[in-house]
Amino acid sequence: MVRRFAPDPIPDEVLISILETAQHAPSAGFAQGLEMVVLDDPGQLNSFWELVDPQSRKHGARRPSLDERSDVQVRMPSFEGDPPVVVIPYSGKPHYLERYSQPDKHAFGMGTEEGWPVPYWDIDAAMGVMLMLLAAVDEGVGGWFFGIFQGEAELTRWLGVPEGFRAIGAVALGYPSPEERRRGSVLTRGRRPLKDVVHYGGW
Ligand SMILES: Cc1cc2nc3c(=O)[nH]c(=O)nc-3n(C[C@H](O)[C@H](O)[C@H](O)COP(=O)(O)O)c2cc1C
């Protein structure tokens, strides 16, 4: 994961290619339930961070000064290291319930949520995110998946997300800042040895 970004925008064709790759993730019944909300307007991005991580906006905050002229579209300044794009991947449960109510799937009894052993809508959304991150790396773009721990209900309302869809987190995308350094758990914990993780012939 890259957590500190350069301010350079991502060219449209590069972003489209990353999003399109995510759309090629496998999905149960080929339901293709992943939906993605893309935020790339600085004002919108600022509102996003205010909702999900208000603390980060307060540190050394360069508070945006609102322009009082109503004919001027106010563009909030971004904070140093902010990503130029945030993609919010939505897990699309309604697509799955609808898909598994169709004649070729009806017999599985998965037309209601209770019929599912695990929520494939979340699994498929995660598969899409993984492809998004890999496609970003291929394009020289940095990606950062992070959880949304607060403000989700308000975010959902603000973005006009329909009933039944749930953000599984968010993906920040942008070119890595020259100041980006590996940090976080990956440095302190180390990778578990393969022999501890793989269980041949039984656990
Ligand atoms: C489901 C999931 C949730 C994560 N949530 C966060 C998060 O909220 N904040 C964060 O900085 N990184 C988050 N990460 C990134 C992990 O910390 C990171 O993938 C891990 O430390 C390994 O580092 P690497 O991806 O750079 O190899 C998350 C990753 C996953 C898969």
Side-chain angles (χ1 to χ4, degrees):
M1 304 290 167
V2 165
R3 295 184 178 84
R4 202 170 171 83
F5 298 87
D8 313 77
I10 303 174
D12 282 350
E13 65 277 12
V14 172
L15 182 59
I16 293 287
S17 152
I18 292 171
L19 299 173
E20 196 180 19
T21 303
Q23 212 206 345
H24 282 259
S27 61
F30 205 38
Q32 306 173 71
L34 171 68
E35 310 256 353
M36 298 171 271
V37 173
V38 179
L39 303 179
D40 60 359
D41 172 80
Q44 268 208 323
L45 284 167
N46 203 62
S47 304
F48 169 79
W49 293 117
E50 288 277 2
L51 282 177
V52 305
D53 190 11
Q55 279 313 109
S56 77
R57 304 292 91 177
K58 288 186 184 108
H59 290 304
R62 287 181 272 129
R63 303 309 305 164
S65 58
L66 286 174
D67 193 313
E68 283 167 12
R69 283 162 45 203
S70 59
D71 57 331
V72 174
Q73 202 205 346
V74 177
R75 292 181 77 85
M76 308 285 194
S78 57
F79 290 75
E80 211 177 319
D82 272 1
V85 174
V86 169
V87 180
I88 308 167
Y90 278 87
S91 159
K93 181 167 60 182
H95 290 299
Y96 291 78
L97 301 185
E98 194 269 330
R99 171 71 187 99
Y100 278 77
S101 301
Q102 288 172 354
D104 62 325
K105 295 288 185 191
H106 187 71
F108 291 100
M110 291 155 91
T112 61
E113 189 170 351
E114 297 69 45
W116 291 76
V118 287
Y120 280 2
W121 37 91
D122 293 340
I123 291 170
D124 291 355
M127 293 209 187
V129 166
M130 190 67 238
L131 287 191
M132 201 187 299
L133 295 170
L134 290 174
V137 170
D138 275 355
E139 295 282 357
V141 170
W144 171 31
F145 179 85
F146 57 93
I148 296 179
F149 297 98
Q150 59 179 309
E152 198 207 337
E154 212 176 336
L155 181 71
T156 301
R157 269 196 305 279
W158 175 54
L159 296 173
V161 177
E163 183 98 13
F165 291 83
R166 177 131 199 241
I168 62 160
V171 183
L173 294 172
Y175 294 99
S177 158
E179 284 160 35
E180 164 66 9
R181 302 274 177 277
R182 299 276 289 161
R183 58 197 147 129
S185 316
V186 71
L187 288 181
T188 50
R189 287 174 59 78
R191 197 168 301 280
R192 294 174 66 198
L194 191 64
K195 67 174 179 44
D196 289 359
V197 179
V198 180
H199 309 281
Y200 288 99
W203 192 287

